[in-house]
Amino acid sequence: MECFTPFRLLYLLLVLSIAMSASMAEDLGTYIIHMDKSTMPMTFSSHHDWYLSMLSSMSSSDGVHPTHLYTYNHVLDGFSAVLSREHLDQLEKMPGFLAIHADTFGRFHTTRSPTFLGLDKNAAGSWPEGKFGEDVIIGIIDTGIWPESESFKDKGMGPVPDRWRGACESGVEFNSSYCNRKLIGARSFSKGLKQQGLIISTSDDYDSPRDFFGHGTHTASTAAGSPVRDANYFGYAKGTAIGIAPKARLAAYKVLFTNDSDISAASDTLAGMDQAIADGVDLMSLSLGFEETTFEQNPIAVGAFAAMEKGIFVSCSAGNSGPEGYTMLNGAPWITTIGAGTIDRDYAADVTFGGGILTIRGRSVYPENVLVSNVSLYFGHGNRSKELCEDFALDPKDVAGKIVFCYFNQSGGVSQVREVDRAGAKGAIISSDSEFFNFPSFFFIPLVVVTPKDGDLVKDYIIKSENPVVDVKFLITVLGSKPAPQVAFFSSRGPNNRAPMILKPDVLAPGVNILAAWAPKVALTRVGDNRLLTDYTLLSGTSMSSPHAVGVAALLKSAHPDWSSAAIRSALMTTAYLLDNTIGSIIDMDTGVAATPLDFGAGHINPNMAMDPGLIYDIEVQDYINFLCGLNYTSKQIKIISRRSKFTCDQANLDLNYPSFIVLLNNNTNTTSYTFKRVLTNVVDSPSVYRASVKQPSGMKVNVQPSMVFFAGKYSKAEFNMTVEINLGYARPQSEYIGNFGYLTWWEVNGTHVVKSPIVSAFAL
Ligand SMILES: *[C@@H]1O[C@H](CO)[C@@H](O)[C@H](O)[C@H]1NC(C)=O
Ligand SMILES: *[C@@H]1O[C@H](CO)[C@@H](O)[C@H](O)[C@H]1NC(C)=O
Ligand SMILES: *[C@@H]1O[C@H](CO)[C@@H](O)[C@H](O)[C@H]1NC(C)=O
Ligand SMILES: *[C@@H]1O[C@H](CO)[C@@H](O)[C@H](O)[C@H]1NC(C)=O
Ligand SMILES: *[C@@H]1O[C@H](CO)[C@@H](O)[C@H](O)[C@H]1NC(C)=O
Ligand SMILES: *[C@@H]1O[C@H](CO)[C@@H](O)[C@H](O)[C@H]1NC(C)=O
Ligand SMILES: *[C@@H]1O[C@H](CO)[C@@H](O)[C@H](O)[C@H]1NC(C)=O
Ligand SMILES: *[C@@H]1O[C@H](CO)[C@@H](O)[C@H](O)[C@H]1NC(C)=O
Ligand SMILES: *[C@@H]1O[C@H](CO)[C@@H](O)[C@H](O)[C@H]1NC(C)=O
Ligand SMILES: CC(=O)N[C@H]1CO[C@H](CO)[C@@H](O)[C@@H]1O
C-alpha cells in the first residue's frame, strides 16, 4: 500500500516472497500462464474451456490435481492456477503455451485539496466544464470500500449509465443492496492470496468487498466522493469533504487484504483489473506497487496495457521510496504515474510559556482538546540521553504530570514519544524539523513539534526560569500555509529504472495529510489506552495522489470523451505548474531547495488549465509496441504484454511521442547529442499557430525545428524535431549535469494556450 505511515516505512514495498505461510504441498505453487490464443483448437467454444480441458488432462504421480483460479479475458490471454512441478513440465509442452510466471505479491504503498487545486463550483473551470465528472466511471483497485460512508451517498445523482455491466457482490458484512447510484459496483478478489495460506477472518479483514483497513475508502472518496459537510479529523481540517470528480461513479475492486500485513497477489490484481475492464470502467486508479521487473512480469503494467488499448485511463502511485533517485514504481509509459506533493494546510498547536513570556506555534494533530494550562515543563539539560528522550532515559519521578521538552534524534523518531509516554509525563514538546512528525499516528500523547529555531528559544526559557510552566492550545488548522506545494520527502523519484528514456513520475498531485473517508472500525491513532475511531482521517502517500489525478482525469474525460489516455496525460503534463504559492520554484521538502523534473515530472497538476491544453502529444497503441521493440524485448515478452500473436519490430523506436524530454548521459562519451521527434495535435476548434521558446538547461544547447507550427483546424497535426547537444568533457564533471533542467514551451500566437514540457538530464544506471 502506498500510503505512507512511518511504521510501515521499513516494510514498504518489500516483496513478500518469503513471509507467506506455507499451507501448500511442498512443490505446489500459484502461476500465471500466458497462452497464444490464436492456436486454440476449433473444438473449444471459449478459451476458458480450452484452459480447463488442459488442466484436467494433466496427471501427477501423487494424484494431486491442478486447481484453476482465474481465466483472464482482457488483461492477458491465459489463466492462473495452482500447479505442481510435474504439472509445469506437462503444461510447457502443450500447444499454444507461451510463458509462465510464478505469482508475486505487492503492497499498498479532502476537505481542502479541491480548493487548493483551484476547483470551484461557482467559477468557470474544470468542475462545470467537466460536469463534475458526471457519467464517468472510476474503478478503484484497492482494499475495498466502506459503503455506509457519507462520501458514497448518491443524493442528486441520475440513474446508473446503461452501459455499466458491473455488479455489487454480497459477502461477509456486505450486501448487494449496499451499492447505489454513486457506488455502482463492488467486487472482491482473493483466490490468489488464499492459495498462499491467507485466512480471512473478520478480526483481520472481510471476505467481501467491505474495506477493513480504510485505504480503499480513502482513495475512492478522494477521487469521487460526494460532498460531506463538516467532515474533520477530531476537529482538524474541518470543512466540506468532496472528491475531485464529485459526480463520477465509483466501482470498488478489492485486491488488497489486511492480515499480518497489507498484501496483494498478482493473480488477484490481474483478476480485479480484468473485471474492471469487462464491467466498463472509464478510468482506474491503483495505489499499490509490485517489485519492478520487466513489464511483462508486472501485473499492473500488463493490466494497464489492455486498459489503455480500450481507452481506459490508468493512474498509479509512484511509490513512497524517496527521496533517493531511481526509486520509481509503476513507470510503464502507458501508465500515468503520480508523485506526492504537500498542500497549503497545516495543523498546529499554540504553546505559551511562563504565562505569556513567549508564545510559539508548533505542529500538532493531537486529536483531543485537552486542557494544558500552567503545567510544569521538564528538560533533562546537561544529560544528552535525557535531552533526546532516549529509551529509559526519563525518570518517572522527574516527569510525572509534566510536559517534557526534547530534541529530536534522527533515528529516534516515534521512540522518543513512546519514552515520554512510558515515563508517565503529561505530554511533550519536541524540537525537530523532520517531516516525519507530520503523521497522526505519532500523536498518541499531547505532542507539539517546534522548529529547531523555536526549540532554542524554549530551551533558553527553561534554563533561565525557576519554575518553567506552559499552556497549550490544540486543534488549530492553518490554511494558506507557505510554501506549497512541496515535493513530499517520501515521494519516489526518477529516473525510471526499467525505461529511463521516459521521464517519470509524470506529475505531482496532493499526497500529504489528505483528509478523506475512512473505515470507522479501524483505529489509526490511540490516545492513552483508547483507540480512536473516525469516519474521516488524514493520510499521506503517493497512494493519496493517484486518486487526485484520476479525479482530474475523470473531469477531462467527461468534457472530452474522445481523448485517448495519452491525450489526457499530455493535458495534465503540459499545463502543470512549476511555481509554489510564494511564486518560487517548487521545493523538495527533503532538501529545502528547488526540486527538479526527476522529482515532480512536468510539475503539479492544474485541473482548470488541463481542461483546455490547446495542443496534445498523442500516442497510439502501435507506438508502445514499437517502444517495447526498441527496448529489445523478445517477441514472447511483447506478445504477453500486447496479446498480439503477430507483429513485427521493423519500426522499433524508443522516442515515444511523450510530452517530456530526458537526456541520458553516460561516462563513455564527451559529447552527447539527442534528437527528439514529436508530433503535436491541435485540440481546439479553430486553426492556430504556435511559436517555440526554450529555456535551455545549463550546459545544454537546444534547437527546435521548425520553431513555428501551423494547424489548419481541430485535430490537425504538426511535427517538429528538438536537438539537445551537450559537451561534457571540458566543462565540468558529468555528475554536475544530473537534474539540470529547462523547458520547451509552445506559445500560441495571438492566443492564450501555453504548452510546456520539461527537458532534464540524468544518468542511466
Ligand atoms: C440483503 O439486503 C436485502 C434488502 O435489504 C435483504 O432482503 C437480504 O436479506 C439481504 N441479504 C443478506 C445476505 O443479508
Ligand atoms: C501556576 O501554578 C503554580 C503552582 O504550581 C501556582 O503557584 C501559580 O499561581 C499558578 N499560576 C497560574 C497563573 O495559575
Ligand atoms: C544520563 O541519564 C541516564 C538516565 O537517567 C543515566 O543512565 C546516565 O548515567 C546519565 N548520564 C550522565 C552523564 O549523567
Ligand atoms: C538516537 O536514537 C537511537 C535509537 O533510539 C540511539 O541508538 C542513538 O544512540 C541515538 N542517537 C543519539 C545521538 O543520541
Ligand atoms: C538493443 O540492442 C541493440 C543491438 O544490440 C543495442 O544497440 C541497443 O543499445 C539495445 N537497446 C537497449 C535499450 O538496450
Ligand atoms: C561516472 O563517472 C563518475 C566519476 O567520474 C562516477 O562517480 C559515476 O559513478 C559514473 N557514473 C556511471 C553511471 O557510471
Ligand atoms: C526531423 O528530422 C528528420 C531527420 O532526422 C527529418 O527527416 C525530418 O524531416 C525532420 N522533421 C522536421 C519537422 O523538421
Ligand atoms: C573527455 O574530455 C577530457 C578533457 O578534454 C579528456 O581528458 C577525456 O579523455 C575525454 N573523455 C572521453 C571519453 O573522450
Ligand atoms: C497576430 O495578430 C497580429 C496583430 O493583429 C497580426 O498582424 C498577425 O498576423 C497575427 N498572427 C497570426 C499568426 O494570426
Ligand atoms: C499470511 C496469513 O494468512 N497470516 C495470518 C492471517 O490470519 C490468520 C488467523 O487470523 C493466521 O492464522 C494467519 O497466520
Side-chain angles (χ1 to χ4, degrees), residues 218-255:
H218 200 277
T219 53
S221 63
T222 299
S226 298
V228 177
R229 291 173 66 175
D230 276 335
N232 64 87
Y233 175 74
F234 300 108
Y236 293 96
K238 234 187 194 124
T240 298
I242 184 164
I244 301 297
K247 287 196 174 167
R249 319 292 177 143
L250 284 166
Y253 296 86
K254 180 173 177 176
V255 302

Side-chain angles (χ1 to χ4, degrees), residues 667-670 729-730:
N667 279 347
N668 307 324
T669 61
N670 264 341
Y730 60 87

Side-chain angles (χ1 to χ4, degrees), residues 283-421:
L283 308 97
M284 273 188 222
S285 175
L286 293 98
S287 292
L288 66 152
F290 285 77
E291 189 190 19
E292 276 294 82
T293 52
T294 47
F295 297 134
E296 88 286 359
Q297 293 196 48
N298 184 306
I300 296 177
V302 166
F305 193 98
M308 172 275 295
E309 272 189 291
K310 297 199 160 58
I312 299 167
F313 177 90
V314 181
S315 147
C316 291
S317 49
N320 298 336
S321 314
E324 287 76 30
Y326 303 97
T327 46
M328 285 289 318
L329 295 180
N330 294 325
W334 48 88
I335 291 173
T336 300
T337 318
I338 318 295
T342 62
I343 59 173
D344 62 343
R345 179 177 61 194
D346 279 333
Y347 310 107
D350 282 339
V351 193
T352 303
F353 298 88
I357 297 173
L358 172 68
T359 298
I360 284 171
R361 175 161 284 184
R363 278 184 286 145
S364 185
V365 285
Y366 182 67
E368 287 187 342
N369 198 6
V370 290
L371 185 68
V372 177
S373 177
N374 198 22
V375 173
S376 289
L377 261 172
Y378 172 85
F379 178 51
H381 54 280
N383 182 322
R384 192 78 192 131
S385 154
K386 291 183 181 189
E387 285 184 0
L388 293 169
C389 297
E390 281 184 355
D391 291 356
F392 298 100
L394 301 178
D395 187 338
K397 285 204 296 288
D398 297 336
V399 305
K402 296 183 182 171
I403 300 277
V404 177
F405 173 67
C406 6
Y407 278 97
F408 176 57
N409 163 359
Q410 272 305 332
S411 50
V414 73
S415 70
Q416 295 177 290
V417 188
R418 287 208 193 97
E419 170 61 8
V420 173
D421 188 28

Side-chain angles (χ1 to χ4, degrees), residues 63-101:
V64 175
H65 293 290
T67 310
H68 171 269
L69 294 183
Y70 300 104
T71 289
Y72 303 108
N73 293 303
H74 302 280
V75 291
L76 57 90
D77 289 336
F79 59 102
S80 48
V82 182
L83 304 169
S84 69
R85 289 214 186 89
E86 279 181 84
H87 299 144
L88 290 184
D89 293 340
Q90 295 166 46
L91 184 67
E92 283 168 13
K93 292 191 192 86
M94 291 192 178
F97 172 84
L98 195 57
I100 188 160
H101 298 134

